[in-house]
Amino acid sequence: MEFYFPTEFGEQLAFCSAAFTALAGFIMMFAPGHTFRLLGLQAQEGRPEGYGEGRSMGGFYLGFGLSAIMLAQDWIYMALGASFAMAAFARIISILSDKGSNLVNYLLLVVQVALAALPLLYVFGFTQT
């Protein structure tokens, strides 16, 4: 089995979004403590469920990103883009209603919008070859 790297520029952008998702998931899965510190979260002392949830979330990101890379189908890229678009929308709601107007939230919003835009621009044909 050969590794498939896209030849079209738009699909390369979608591929990069999936690769970043998989990399973030890998880091979240194997280094939940560092991920929590970066996001300003803290697992309660003596309760491993917090780390379990962080690892589980990382596993989901890793699986979703790797699925998009391995399958390289428009519908998978659309699901990836739509998922990040909804995550960005939820972050906007959090910024507006949870008094979460801080630099980290705005940076993560930009990342989520970019991760949503790259596959969606490809799927809907807005990128040129």
Side-chain angles (χ1 to χ4, degrees):
M1 185 167 135
E2 293 182 24
F3 178 74
Y4 170 75
F5 187 76
T7 56
E8 295 180 29
F9 178 67
E11 191 175 1
Q12 288 174 352
L13 294 177
F15 181 93
C16 288
S17 178
F20 184 84
T21 302
L23 177 65
F26 182 83
I27 293 169
M28 293 164 83
M29 193 162 86
F30 290 107
H34 294 297
T35 304
F36 285 170
R37 276 192 291 284
L38 177 71
L39 297 175
L41 301 173
Q42 181 179 357
Q44 189 174 2
E45 190 67 35
R47 306 272 320 247
E49 296 89 359
Y51 288 109
E53 190 62 33
R55 288 184 195 279
S56 175
M57 184 173 55
F60 181 81
Y61 276 45
L62 179 60
F64 201 178
L66 288 178
S67 295
I69 288 170
M70 290 189 298
L71 297 174
Q73 298 292 315
D74 288 352
W75 284 102
I76 302 294
Y77 287 136
M78 186 181 299
L80 182 67
S83 297
F84 274 113
M86 290 308 299
F89 179 67
R91 188 165 303 276
I92 291 170
I93 291 173
S94 176
I95 288 170
L96 296 175
S97 63
D98 300 333
K99 297 179 183 151
S101 182
N102 59 36
L103 181 63
V104 172
N105 261 341
Y106 286 117
L107 289 175
L108 290 173
L109 176 63
V110 169
V111 169
Q112 287 175 330
V113 167
L115 290 173
L118 294 176
L120 292 178
L121 288 173
Y122 165 67
V123 169
F124 292 118
F126 288 107
T127 56
Q128 300 296 323
T129 55

